[in-house]
Amino acid sequence: MNHETTRSDGTRIHYTATGSTDGPALTLIHGWGCDRGDFDTIVKHLPPEVRVLAVDLAEHGDSRSSRDTWTIEEFAGDVAAVLAAESVESTVVAGHSLGGAVAVETARLLPDTVTRVIALDALHYLGLFPAQSEEDVQALLQPFREDFTGAMRGMVEAGSPEGTDPSLVDSYIKKMGSVRQPAGLHALEGLARWDMDAALREIAQPVVLFAVRSIIAKEAIDRYGDRIRIELVDLGSHHFPVESPAETAKILADEL
């Protein structure tokens, strides 16, 4: 069922709630420029007893906001608002791409509620993590300011291993390129400024990363392997949750 909750600043967060209210809770967070619909097929493959909450972050999907702050911490507040609205006392939080960062930050914000973090091809991109210098942030954003669609194409292609269906690549570019502005650009800036190292130091919950084998760099494994359990998968591109929903559902169910 589709629901909406409103934060104190007027931000309206839409989300979908399915499954048994008595079962283990799983909260799903989409990536940058995407929406909760990315999880629709995955949810159909999850055990019926699992309580699933799929969230549209502010200015993504159906959610709307006029706020001025677009940080990973503020996105975590969107998720926290949904958990409060649903009176969730315990949940595993899983996020794809930017959603993986939001999941970690939600764990820091709600240490007594979030029991585990699952990152789906997130957290290992060294061009974004750890927090970038001001010079690097501006260098990352400049191509998007000059030619958003072109820069988006480059980002999507970088996350698409050889053999990825070109029509899928085009569909991701079209979808992500339509993210509402200026929130879309501000969200990318917030991701580049997010201090993942600090967040990981401050959370006690286990974090597991399912990373596309052909994309993750050995340097990232060496840097974060002692803080994150890293599992390599061969399920498609950076957007493998969309491409391999049944297999992704099994990954999630096994971690509950």
Side-chain angles (χ1 to χ4, degrees), residues 83 89-93 102-118 123 198-209 226-229 255:
L83 298 178
E89 297 181 353
S90 176
T91 184
V92 172
V93 178
V102 177
V104 170
E105 199 58 48
T106 304
R108 176 157 66 168
L109 180 63
L110 301 174
D112 296 327
T113 302
V114 177
T115 60
R116 177 182 298 269
V117 172
I118 304 172
L123 309 181
L200 289 175
R201 284 194 299 269
E202 292 179 18
I203 67 170
Q205 302 94 323
V207 180
V208 57
L209 160 64
D226 62 335
R227 284 175 280 175
I228 300 173
R229 192 181 105 226
E255 292 294 325

Side-chain angles (χ1 to χ4, degrees), residues 52-72:
V52 184
L53 302 172
V55 181
D56 273 346
L57 299 174
E59 283 299 277
H60 290 72
D62 294 323
S63 295
R64 297 291 183 270
S65 179
S66 59
R67 68 192 184 206
D68 297 322
T69 302
W70 296 95
T71 60
I72 299 302

Side-chain angles (χ1 to χ4, degrees), residues 138-186:
Q138 296 307 319
L140 172 70
L141 296 177
Q142 192 60 34
F144 288 90
R145 290 172 176 148
E146 295 175 352
D147 178 7
F148 189 86
T149 301
M152 178 68 72
R153 175 173 290 278
M155 174 178 281
V156 174
E157 289 178 344
S160 303
E162 184 177 353
T164 302
D165 185 342
S167 65
L168 283 175
V169 174
D170 289 341
S171 70
Y172 299 143
I173 293 168
K174 181 178 180 180
K175 178 175 182 176
M176 296 169 68
S178 64
V179 63
R180 284 187 293 278
Q181 300 295 356
L185 194 56
H186 289 331

Side-chain angles (χ1 to χ4, degrees), residues 13 20 34 118 124 137 181 183-184 202 212:
I13 300 299
S20 171
C34 298
I118 304 172
H124 66 81
V137 169
Q181 300 295 356
E202 292 179 18
V212 176

